[in-house]
Amino acid sequence: MTIHHQPGKERIDAVRGFNRFYTRQIGLLDEGLLKSAFSLTEARVLYELAHRDGLTATDLARDLGLDPGYLSRLLKKFEERGLVERVATQTDARRSSITLTPGGRAAFAPLNQGSHDQVAALLDRLSAPEQDRLVKAMQTVQRLLGESAEPKVPYMLRPLQVGDIGWIIHRQGLLYAQEYGWDETYEALVAEILGAFVKSYDPKWERSWIAEREAEVVGSVFLVRQSDAVARLRLLYVEPSARGLGIGRRLVEECIGFARAKAYKTLTLWTNDVLSSARRIYEAAGFKLANQERHHAFGKDLVGQNWSLEL
Amino acid sequence: MTIHHQPGKERIDAVRGFNRFYTRQIGLLDEGLLKSAFSLTEARVLYELAHRDGLTATDLARDLGLDPGYLSRLLKKFEERGLVERVATQTDARRSSITLTPGGRAAFAPLNQGSHDQVAALLDRLSAPEQDRLVKAMQTVQRLLGESAEPKVPYMLRPLQVGDIGWIIHRQGLLYAQEYGWDETYEALVAEILGAFVKSYDPKWERSWIAEREAEVVGSVFLVRQSDAVARLRLLYVEPSARGLGIGRRLVEECIGFARAKAYKTLTLWTNDVLSSARRIYEAAGFKLANQERHHAFGKDLVGQNWSLEL
DNA sequence: ACCACTTACTTGACTTAGTCAAGTATCAGT
DNA sequence: ACTGATACTTGACTAAGTCAAGTAAGTGGT
């Protein structure tokens, strides 16, 4: 599924620049903690022990990237000082599960507080929105570079919030410009549709679904009332990064379910034949192609299609 | 100008989590380079020397956070190996300007290539849009935590691009919701206005200005034709992070200049009295309050104002 | 049950990296 | 010319980390 690219020199340089920057940044933060009785590595080990239970030496060495020999001695020293306890595991007598003693927790507390205060001071130089942007950006970096552990909840659906329609307009505008070369009139059309949707929103007959994944909007669909009998599905979209999770299908299903519940007779939609992945979803959901016609829009020659589903 | 806040425990924890994550990340990257003849610190010194001219030992120690004594020995070793040359500066005989010799460059090249390849491999695991998001996020972190060296160009104005109107709708919706508690109908209004603007755009009589700062949209304004004689200024906004740079004033000036050039007779605008910073800009530009009236919109009781400027 | 192979640590013998304090030479201001 | 900084340098350390060899315990195949 991963698409391979020539990463591009500017990107590589930007990442290398960030690495140099953050190497220094971490160095600065360490300096502050150096006054304590523990080295950075010791502090990292204590942190892990304080936050996770039943760790073995191997776990620590792996997660922190430490030499087993070095770690062994380090733990021995901790044990002698009464900071940790090692208990051989039942299942495997070679391993021992390492836990902080109350004394170890007491030793860790000021260290932890120091690091906490230091970061608090760092953040305090920024305004609240800047802090938010920083945290979001860090989470983005971590998510992209991390082991990409799949989130427990792959996605969730929620109703529209402030900021959503602008975001959806932005993303759809960019996406269809990139993927199909459509011009800014498509983005404008989305803006008009969504502006009108909110303005004349009738909660009894209409609804929107926003798919969210790790606090990011990754898809959406809107159902609008066309007449007593006919509902229209509009603006189905799923972020490329979230494709393959069944979000598109799920959004269409929600629409159909809602339309049935509201006793609409027909669910219609308009799309263009180039949007093949959307078309497959509509077909699978039972939509039939009603008619199609060539038209010129969004700077391209297109084939518009009307699909409908009898409910 | 900086507003102080209680940084909030989740944010602090998020930043600390990122620091632990990136400590490990940097550790991993170093491991790869450890096979070379140089230590991480040596590599950092070589990198600096390869990319900046006329550095002194003090510069290096400061920028990389190194102990002067340690650095001194390190440089001595480099000099003995013929990697660097030290020339006492004319102005100050205590300092010497350190430069890489051709041999030093030759020694640095594979190191540099190794780091480059390593990062390229890291990036290659991501799709192109993910790479972009990563780089953007890293730049955000760096900008926020860095010495915040003011960009050379504080901002630039450019015409509308695909993605802009959605972004502006998104930001204005969120901003006015946060600052004034307006509901989603304001965002919808912006969407309708901008959708219509693009749809019926007449380049001869209308224009948009987007203010960009470090590749981020930080403000915008739109001028639309109302009649042969009357132009209307719409949707002036400036990001809070970019306020105080005169962007708002500049955007309004551009509008006025354009309106004059097109021989409009009057420039009008509608706003609400709660938007006091915008009002100050209009007043300073010579706009006069034509009339105002109470109205209920965006979930609030407001006072709408019409301002106009005879050109 | 036994053998070969792996894993989870441990230990000894190192090297490297970094620190700290006390120097020397030079400069900047008065 | 004198005072107090600055820009290194050097000596004497300690801490931090590495590497290879070893031991005890598990795992899988026959």
Side-chain angles (χ1 to χ4, degrees):
Chain A
M1 240 206 69
T2 313
I3 309 150
H4 286 271
H5 299 267
Q6 205 70 348
K9 200 160 175 352
E10 318 83 55
R11 281 185 192 140
I12 293 173
D13 287 345
V15 172
R16 292 180 68 194
F18 180 76
N19 286 341
R20 284 193 305 279
F21 169 77
Y22 223 79
T23 298
R24 179 83 184 96
Q25 187 69 33
I26 287 170
L28 286 175
L29 290 174
D30 295 349
E31 272 172 35
L33 295 178
L34 241 141
K35 289 155 202 156
S36 83
F38 298 101
S39 75
L40 170 61
T41 305
E42 288 172 330
R44 290 173 73 202
V45 170
L46 285 177
Y47 186 94
E48 287 299 315
L49 291 173
H51 289 264
R52 292 164 60 191
D53 275 343
L55 283 170
T56 65
T58 312
D59 296 333
L60 280 169
R62 178 183 15 85
D63 294 352
L64 299 178
L66 300 177
D67 177 86
Y70 180 42
L71 179 61
S72 172
R73 259 184 278 264
L74 202 154
L75 289 172
K76 191 176 169 190
K77 205 171 63 186
F78 278 179
E79 201 174 22
E80 281 163 4
R81 285 207 265 163
L83 303 179
V84 305
E85 265 177 352
R86 288 191 278 189
V87 190
T89 56
Q90 278 94 346
T91 51
D92 188 339
R94 292 168 308 172
R95 310 177 195 224
S96 26
S97 154
I98 305 157
T99 42
L100 279 188
T101 62
R105 291 196 179 273
F108 175 62
L111 199 70
N112 192 36
Q113 187 64 43
S115 159
H116 182 279
D117 292 350
Q118 213 176 19
V119 170
L122 192 77
L123 280 176
D124 203 43
R125 297 207 304 254
L126 303 174
S127 67
E130 283 174 328
Q131 290 177 17
D132 258 349
R133 286 171 60 209
L134 180 70
V135 168
K136 279 234 161 65
M138 285 177 164
Q139 284 168 345
T140 301
V141 172
Q142 206 164 344
R143 188 160 358 98
L144 289 169
L145 292 184
E147 297 305 294
S148 65
E150 289 304 312
K152 278 136 282 174
V153 182
Y155 67 90
M156 49 176 282
L157 299 187
R158 59 162 179 78
L160 211 59
Q161 291 173 359
V162 172
D164 284 341
I165 72 168
W167 181 256
I168 292 164
I169 295 160
H170 173 66
R171 289 301 303 161
Q172 286 211 36
L174 277 180
L175 219 59
Y176 291 158
Q178 281 166 13
E179 295 190 0
Y180 308 106
W182 292 4
D183 66 18
E184 70 285 356
T185 56
Y186 178 69
E187 188 180 8
L189 176 66
V190 178
E192 285 198 300
I193 292 170
L194 288 180
F197 177 83
V198 171
K199 191 176 171 187
S200 67
Y201 179 56
D202 181 348
K204 195 158 163 20
W205 296 101
E206 303 185 313
R207 190 131 309 173
S208 57
W209 293 264
I210 310 296
E212 198 179 84
R213 179 173 160 82
E214 298 184 303
E216 277 184 22
V217 172
V218 292
S220 61
V221 73
F222 297 82
L223 183 135
V224 301
R225 171 186 162 93
Q226 193 159 313
S227 71
D228 281 3
V230 181
R232 172 171 283 248
L233 181 157
R234 302 202 82 167
L235 298 174
L236 173 69
Y237 110 102
V238 177
E239 281 289 337
S241 64
R243 287 177 190 166
L245 294 166
I247 294 175
R249 193 169 38 77
R250 171 76 185 282
L251 289 168
V252 170
E253 279 167 10
E254 292 288 336
C255 273
I256 295 171
F258 180 84
R260 288 214 171 100
K262 297 297 178 180
Y264 283 111
K265 300 278 175 287
T266 312
L267 184 58
T268 69
L269 65 90
W270 179 82
T271 185
N272 280 280
D273 74 336
V274 291
L275 308 176
S276 49
S277 57
R279 193 180 54 229
R280 276 193 293 276
I281 293 171
Y282 300 138
E283 279 171 344
F287 280 84
K288 304 290 174 205
L289 181 60
N291 56 65
Q292 55 182 338
E293 53 169 346
R294 291 170 189 286
H295 68 123
H296 188 87
F298 323 135
K300 293 275 169 183
D301 286 315
L302 297 168
V303 179
Q305 302 181 323
N306 284 296
W307 293 74
S308 66
L309 174 70
E310 299 308 316
L311 297 163
Chain B
M1 240 206 69
T2 314
I3 309 149
H4 286 271
H5 299 267
Q6 205 69 349
K9 201 164 175 347
E10 319 84 54
R11 281 185 192 141
I12 293 172
D13 287 345
V15 172
R16 293 180 67 195
F18 180 77
N19 286 342
R20 284 193 305 279
F21 170 76
Y22 223 80
T23 299
R24 179 84 184 96
Q25 188 70 32
I26 288 170
L28 286 176
L29 290 174
D30 295 348
E31 271 172 34
L33 296 178
L34 243 141
K35 288 155 203 157
S36 83
F38 299 101
S39 76
L40 171 62
T41 305
E42 288 172 330
R44 290 172 74 202
V45 169
L46 285 177
Y47 186 93
E48 288 299 315
L49 291 173
H51 289 265
R52 293 164 59 191
D53 275 343
L55 283 170
T56 66
T58 312
D59 296 333
L60 279 170
R62 177 181 18 82
D63 294 352
L64 299 178
L66 301 177
D67 178 84
Y70 179 41
L71 180 61
S72 173
R73 257 184 278 265
L74 203 152
L75 289 172
K76 191 177 171 191
K77 205 171 64 185
F78 278 178
E79 203 174 21
E80 282 163 5
R81 286 209 264 164
L83 304 178
V84 304
E85 265 177 353
R86 288 191 278 190
V87 189
T89 56
Q90 277 94 347
T91 51
D92 188 337
R94 292 169 306 173
R95 308 177 197 224
S96 27
S97 154
I98 305 157
T99 41
L100 280 189
T101 61
R105 288 192 183 274
F108 174 62
L111 199 70
N112 192 37
Q113 186 65 42
S115 159
H116 182 280
D117 292 350
Q118 214 175 18
V119 170
L122 192 77
L123 280 176
D124 202 43
R125 297 207 304 254
L126 303 174
S127 67
E130 284 175 328
Q131 291 176 16
D132 259 348
R133 286 171 59 209
L134 178 71
V135 168
K136 279 235 160 67
M138 285 177 165
Q139 284 167 346
T140 301
V141 172
Q142 205 165 345
R143 188 160 358 98
L144 289 169
L145 292 183
E147 297 303 294
S148 64
E150 289 304 313
K152 278 135 286 176
V153 182
Y155 66 91
M156 49 177 281
L157 299 186
R158 59 163 179 77
L160 210 60
Q161 291 173 359
V162 172
D164 284 341
I165 71 167
W167 181 256
I168 292 164
I169 294 161
H170 173 68
R171 290 300 305 159
Q172 286 210 36
L174 277 178
L175 219 58
Y176 291 160
Q178 281 166 14
E179 294 190 0
Y180 308 106
W182 292 4
D183 67 17
E184 72 284 357
T185 56
Y186 177 69
E187 188 180 8
L189 176 66
V190 179
E192 284 197 303
I193 291 170
L194 289 180
F197 176 83
V198 171
K199 193 176 170 187
S200 66
Y201 179 56
D202 181 349
K204 196 160 164 16
W205 297 101
E206 305 184 312
R207 189 133 309 174
S208 57
W209 293 265
I210 310 297
E212 198 179 84
R213 180 172 161 81
E214 298 183 304
E216 277 185 22
V217 172
V218 292
S220 61
V221 73
F222 296 81
L223 183 135
V224 301
R225 171 187 163 93
Q226 193 159 312
S227 71
D228 281 6
V230 182
R232 172 170 283 246
L233 182 157
R234 303 203 83 167
L235 299 175
L236 174 70
Y237 109 103
V238 177
E239 282 288 337
S241 63
R243 287 177 189 165
L245 294 167
I247 294 175
R249 193 169 40 76
R250 171 75 186 283
L251 289 167
V252 170
E253 278 167 10
E254 293 287 336
C255 274
I256 295 172
F258 180 84
R260 287 213 172 101
K262 297 296 178 180
Y264 282 111
K265 299 278 176 288
T266 311
L267 184 58
T268 69
L269 64 90
W270 179 81
T271 184
N272 280 281
D273 73 336
V274 292
L275 308 176
S276 50
S277 58
R279 193 180 53 230
R280 276 193 293 276
I281 292 170
Y282 301 138
E283 279 171 344
F287 281 85
K288 304 290 174 207
L289 181 60
N291 57 66
Q292 55 183 340
E293 52 170 346
R294 291 170 190 286
H295 68 123
H296 188 88
F298 323 135
K300 293 275 169 184
D301 286 315
L302 298 168
V303 178
Q305 302 181 324
N306 283 297
W307 294 73
S308 66
L309 173 69
E310 298 309 317
L311 297 163

